[in-house]
Structures are given as structure tokens and as C-alpha cells.
Amino acid sequence: MGIMALRHTLTFKTAVETAEKLVLPSSRASFNDPFLLVSHEMSNLAKSIASMIGSGHPTLNRVSSYYFEAEGKNVRPLIVLLLSKALLKIPVEQRNRTAIDDLDVVDQQPFKGTPTSHTVVAGKSVDDSISPLAILHGINPKVILDPLSKPMDALPEFDASNGILPKQRRLAEIVEMIHTASLLHDDVIDMSDARRGRPSGNVAFTNKMAVLAGDFLLGRASVAIARLRNPEVIELLSTTIANLVEGEFMQLKNTVLNQSSDINNGGELKPVPTPTGKVPTKQHEYSVQTPADVDHETNVNAAFEYYLHKTYLKTASLMSKLARAAAVLSGAQDDVVQNCYDFGRNLGLCFQIVDDMLDYTSSDNAIGKPSQADLKLGLATAPILFAWKERPELGELISRKFKEPGDVELARLAVDQCNGVEQTRKMAQEYCMKALGNLRVLPESDARSALELLTNSILTRTK
């Protein structure tokens, strides 16, 4: 079976599982299963992350590594690795050679003789500290509790046949750490009880430990980000962390219909403290309209805009900026860098929209977490917004976050009757097609075919 046929037959689960096989590809397997092109890097992902997140506290180590133990999708590092390999096919003369760090590729073809990048600051490789080790060691330099403050196992040198730079490998590890930290925090916020088919971190270890472990992962990731020594990449990845928080705050409000400034604290509504005026507080641009001010169509359009903005911040921001970062590290020209960003953005939106659709169609066992959780949490995602477009009376349920008895059942029935799931699927397909279009800026290769396969399979995934 050829690559083109695979795109239409492999499910998302099969595609990702193939990528995570722990065997090195044979020449035949690499043609039939392009995901095996990066199977070696994927198989070492968890081990590499473990070497970066260890601490001197056994319980903290246990909580921090908890989600890495379970079988996850690992989509984000997979994107970094495949995209990095695809970018290798761009001829050297079509790249900005001064943007490539010669510490990554010294004495290696096709980059031999590449001048030192002007973006490199202090220190050497991603494995070396920037600050003096005596400072990073802390109070007792004889007890090194921080693996990032001592020499780590060096990353493999650049392999011209594989085409993935050491900094791109480290980028894959960083983005998975950021994503996992967000899962720990999200499960506390959403009061989840399951993740990846077993008790969520907040249930297994308590809310406090889960939050602290998420913070710890972000701290470790931040050090690793700095050691990439590329200002734009540092800026991109640091912004994704802020975006995750911004998106979560948008989700707490839920939609443009929720005009209340009260905070729900365990069932108790508390007003937001009035600002003193010492620090200017900007009101969110989405909060200017209410159902009484405008017509139904305008409200629905505003709600979809809010939903997509929130979705970008919570999911697509990390995918888009990691894709751009991989392109920046490769020395790609501006048009390629922009298309890589757009690819990640469209793929991320497609991914989350499908995730919201699965919340209405999958069982608990299928997705590894409680199904139909969004309505129970009061979240208005694409399926219910499409139903609201046809049934204005649903606006009242959305505005009160489905908290009255029977609201969840009424909303679910409306989604079924208005084909909300199918309309959501079509929306996801549109972003899928855009993402595929973005990939065409890259030369044809097995790695690009693998990215196309992954993009298509997102639409057919069941978990």
C-alpha cells in the first residue's frame, strides 16, 4: 500500500501508534509507514524528558512524571520532528544560513562552514548552562538537586542523513513538557477524575500537588527554552505559556453572553474586587455586547469568534509556535516560516474542534476521560453553537452555563436535532484543508507525506 492510500485508510490512533513504535525503520517500512522516519526520536522522548525534570524530592518526581508514564498522543513533538525532517529538504542556498547555529551542525554536511549565528548568546550548546554552575547549584553545591544545573547527557550530534538538529530535538521535548503541565493544571480546574485511561493527577495526588507539579514542569521547560539560545524561539515558546493562561480565563467566562463579573468559588459567587486605579485594567474586547443590544445572528457570530480565539490560545498557539520555531531553527526563509506557523495554527484549530466534537460522540473508555464533560462544565463549544444558530432559545441555557436541572439534556438533544456534530465536522475539515495547503510550500518528501497523513487522520480519530 502506498503513502497516498495510507492517508485515506489509517485512523489517527493507528497513525500516532505507528509513529511511536520503538523499532528503527527498515527501508521498506519507512516507505510504507512514513511515521517510522522519526520512531527513534519518539521512542527516546520520555527518557530524555525524565533527565530534565528530576528533583531532589521523590514525591515531586513521581507527580511530575505521572502523565509521561501513560500512553499519550505525543502529537506536538511528532509535529516538531517530522517538520524538522521535512525542512531539511529545502536546498541550503534557499535558506538563511546566518540563522543556523553552527554549534548544531559543526563539521557536518550540508552545512559545513556555516557562519556562527548572530542569534547565539552566551555559552555553547543546549546541554550547557548559561549561568555559572555554582550559582545554579544553590546553597549546597555538593548536593545537585537540579539536573539542569549540571552537565546532562549530551544530545546526539547532527546526523546529516536524519536531518534533525539537536535544538529541534530539544524543542520537541520542551513542547511536550509545556503541554503536560497544562494538562495537570486543566484537570485541577475542570475537576477531572480521569486522564489517559487512569485517575487524573489531581485525583491520584491531590489538587495542590498537581498544580505544583505543573508549575515545576514549566520551570524546567523555561530553563531548557533559554538554553536554545535563539531569541525568537525563546519569545515564541514563552508566549505559548502565557497564551495557555489567557485561553483558560476565556474558557472560565465561556462566551460573550456571560456578562457577570462574579467569580464562582466552589459554588459561592464572589464579585471581582474593584480596581484601585493604580494599575490600568483593560476590559476584554469581547465583553461589550449583550443579547439585548444586538440581533441573534450578531451574537452567534461573536460567540464563534470568541470560541475560535479561545481555541487558538488553549491549543493552536502551542502547535503554531512550535512549528514556526522548528522552521526558524532550520534557517528557512520568511515565507516558509510563515507557512509553518499557519500550518500549526490550522492543524491546532482542527485538532481541538475535533476534540470538542468527540465530547459529544465518544464513550468514556474511547477517549480516556469523561465524555460529554463540556456541557457539564458549562462550556459552549462548536456543536452547541451551531445548534444555537438555529434555535435562539438556547442562548438562555448557554448564558447560564447549563447549570439548571435538565439544561444539559436539552442542549444535547438540540445538538442532535440540528446536526451540530456534523456541522462541527465540516468546520474541522476546512481547517484541515488549509493546513494541507500550508505544507505545499515544503519540498516533496516522505516527511511531508507523513505530516499530510497526520493532518488527514485527525479528522478520523476517535480519541
Side-chain angles (χ1 to χ4, degrees), residues 165-181:
L165 302 174
K167 286 186 179 179
Q168 291 170 327
R169 285 194 186 95
R170 181 52 47 83
L171 175 65
E173 296 158 8
I174 290 169
V175 298
E176 187 63 12
M177 290 169 68
I178 294 173
H179 172 61
T180 303

Side-chain angles (χ1 to χ4, degrees), residues 108-154:
Q108 298 287 344
Q109 296 292 344
F111 299 103
K112 188 174 182 179
T114 299
T116 301
S117 167
H118 64 277
T119 63
V120 177
V121 295
K124 299 179 181 179
S125 75
V126 292
D127 298 309
D128 296 320
S129 66
I130 297 174
S131 300
L133 289 180
I135 292 176
L136 295 181
H137 288 170
I139 296 174
N140 187 354
K142 294 181 180 179
V143 182
I144 303 175
L145 303 180
D146 184 347
L148 290 178
S149 69
K150 61 183 177 65
M152 295 185 296
D153 294 336

Side-chain angles (χ1 to χ4, degrees), residues 394-411:
L394 291 175
E396 186 176 346
L397 278 66
I398 294 173
S399 182
R400 65 181 182 233
K401 297 185 177 182
F402 316 106
K403 65 181 179 181
E404 297 294 331
D407 281 359
V408 170
E409 292 74 17
L410 286 173

Side-chain angles (χ1 to χ4, degrees), residues 14 223 357-358 411 459:
T14 303
V223 176
M357 180 183 70
L358 291 177
L459 293 173

